[in-house]
Amino acid sequence: MSAHQRGTELDLSWISKIQVNQPAVLRRAEQIQARRPVKKEWQAAWLLKAVTFIDLTTLSGDDTSSNIQRLCYKAKYPIREDLLKALNMHDKGITTAAVCVYPARVCDAVKALKAAGCDIPVASVATGFPAGQTHLKTRLEEIRLAVEDGASEIDVVINRTLVLTGQWEALYDEIRQFRKACGEAHLKTILATGELGTLTNVYKASMIAMMAGSDFIKTSTGKETVNATFPVAIVMLRAIRDFFWKTGNKVGFKPAGGIRSAKDSLAWLSLIKEELGDEWLKPELFRIGASTLLVDIERQIYHHVTGRYAAYHDLPMS
């Protein structure tokens, strides 16, 4: 990943007069979803590209070192070798972008990836994920411990209360402290947009998170009732674009939660391409947080290569 995004001073005049035009955003979201997906060779190529943006994630209460090990193996070998050979892509080093786990499982992931001889980064959720309702001191310590254990990316979750009550200075200060606690690790800030009430709040929270030095802004924890949606994404992407125009700083975007089908992943790639351009279509600036998406992508590639759909046992998850 590139150097950190340093952020800017807090400037509330940027966001004080903002009002998001909801009907226009919803129209744009419908347009994206009505688009016909690319076909055949083009589709296979885009699906392989989508694999390289996935933060392969497991955030379950029953995570063990052995399922983390399997997840890391799958991150290194996301698509069956014979399928890649058929597409002449077996020597292109296709892996997922990162592996994302709870702080207590970072050591397991670092060890498994090292044993597999690959340098895929380990991302860890932190700061009282998913609710973000623990004491600030505990949340900061959680970041430091995950970094100490070898996480090179930290997905923090904001305290939604600060957004819902309009405490923008407090939100900025808190994310600033997260940034500092990350040290050299990259900071991905989860806005939990399904709990922010309005699209205007989503825009404001996005802007504050970027001013405070987030390297990425992320839609959701995946644990809310509403996760990554296109209307929310459009608002966040426009905020990223505005921030880039004003500061020259590029901030990454990560939708997460509910992205399960290959078709969905193609719609997300197309949205990024149209809203931010090709330069954002790289793992340094775009990720998809997902646990089951890879299964469907591999299934579609299997179908493209063989002309039939795989039986469940043909493509074990990990």
Side-chain angles (χ1 to χ4, degrees):
M1 253 193 171
S2 54
H4 298 306
Q5 193 271 117
R6 302 214 173 278
T8 63
E9 294 294 314
L10 177 64
D11 180 359
L12 290 177
S13 67
W14 271 20
I15 62 167
S16 58
K17 298 178 189 70
I18 286 293
Q19 279 301 323
V20 172
N21 178 347
Q22 191 168 340
V25 170
L26 296 178
R27 270 199 307 277
R28 174 79 177 112
E30 273 167 26
Q31 247 178 10
I32 289 286
Q33 284 159 292
R35 206 57 66 68
R36 291 179 66 182
V38 286
K39 294 289 179 202
K40 308 240 164 110
E41 281 74 22
W42 285 104
Q43 188 179 69
W46 276 96
L47 288 176
L48 288 178
K49 199 171 176 61
V51 169
T52 67
F53 298 132
I54 294 175
D55 280 0
L56 196 58
T57 303
T58 182
L59 296 169
S60 301
D62 58 358
D63 283 339
T64 60
S65 56
S66 60
N67 78 311
I68 299 293
Q69 214 170 343
R70 288 198 303 276
L71 190 84
C72 291
Y73 184 85
K74 191 66 182 170
K76 187 181 180 183
Y77 303 107
I79 305 292
R80 247 173 49 176
E81 182 78 358
D82 58 321
L83 300 177
L84 290 176
K85 274 189 175 143
L87 296 166
N88 201 22
M89 293 295 283
H90 56 288
D91 54 355
K92 299 290 188 287
I94 290 175
T95 68
T96 67
V99 165
C100 184
V101 296
Y102 272 120
R105 302 263 73 94
V106 169
C107 281
D108 293 336
V110 169
K111 196 171 151 191
L113 290 167
K114 200 174 175 184
C118 68
D119 52 6
I120 297 170
V122 174
S124 176
V125 295
T127 65
F129 178 95
Q133 292 280 14
T134 46
H135 284 294
L136 181 59
K137 200 173 168 183
T138 317
R139 285 182 281 150
L140 291 168
E141 188 60 15
E142 199 174 24
I143 294 173
R144 285 191 281 267
L145 291 171
V147 172
E148 233 169 74
D149 285 347
S152 53
E153 301 177 7
I154 302 291
D155 290 33
V156 304
V157 61
I158 64 166
N159 178 349
R160 278 72 111 188
T161 308
L162 300 178
V163 176
L164 295 169
T165 54
Q167 297 179 65
W168 304 113
E169 289 97 335
L171 180 63
Y172 176 85
D173 291 341
E174 205 164 270
I175 298 171
R176 265 300 210 220
Q177 290 183 64
F178 295 163
R179 160 81 283 157
K180 196 175 169 194
C182 281
E184 287 307 300
H186 276 73
L187 172 65
K188 294 167 30 218
T189 300
I190 307 170
L191 303 179
T193 54
E195 297 178 347
L196 297 187
T198 66
L199 289 177
T200 299
N201 274 348
V202 169
Y203 184 93
K204 290 181 176 182
S206 300
M207 207 46 104
I208 296 287
M210 293 186 285
M211 287 180 193
S214 304
D215 295 300
F216 266 74
I217 52 176
K218 175 176 167 184
T219 59
S220 329
T221 64
K223 311 282 187 186
E224 291 91 51
T225 40
V226 178
N227 293 294
T229 66
F230 288 111
V232 153
I234 289 160
V235 171
M236 290 172 73
L237 294 172
R238 302 266 167 102
I240 287 172
R241 198 165 67 190
D242 293 347
F243 188 74
F244 174 60
W245 283 347
K246 284 180 171 143
T247 67
N249 295 353
K250 288 180 182 167
V251 175
F253 174 69
K254 178 177 171 181
I259 304 172
R260 295 191 182 91
S261 74
K263 189 181 170 204
D264 284 348
S265 72
L266 295 175
W268 283 100
L269 264 65
S270 142
L271 178 64
I272 299 299
K273 190 176 166 64
E274 289 178 23
E275 290 288 331
L276 295 174
D278 285 338
E279 55 193 307
W280 255 265
L281 274 178
K282 52 187 181 185
E284 291 79 21
L285 290 168
F286 178 54
R287 300 288 180 81
I288 299 172
S291 50
T292 56
L293 170 64
L294 186 53
V295 178
D296 194 52
I297 289 181
E298 193 173 20
R299 201 164 158 263
Q300 297 303 329
I301 287 171
Y302 183 97
H303 181 263
H304 174 75
V305 169
T306 65
R308 58 192 175 82
Y309 280 109
Y312 182 72
H313 58 265
D314 285 330
L315 300 172
M317 168 51 198
S318 47

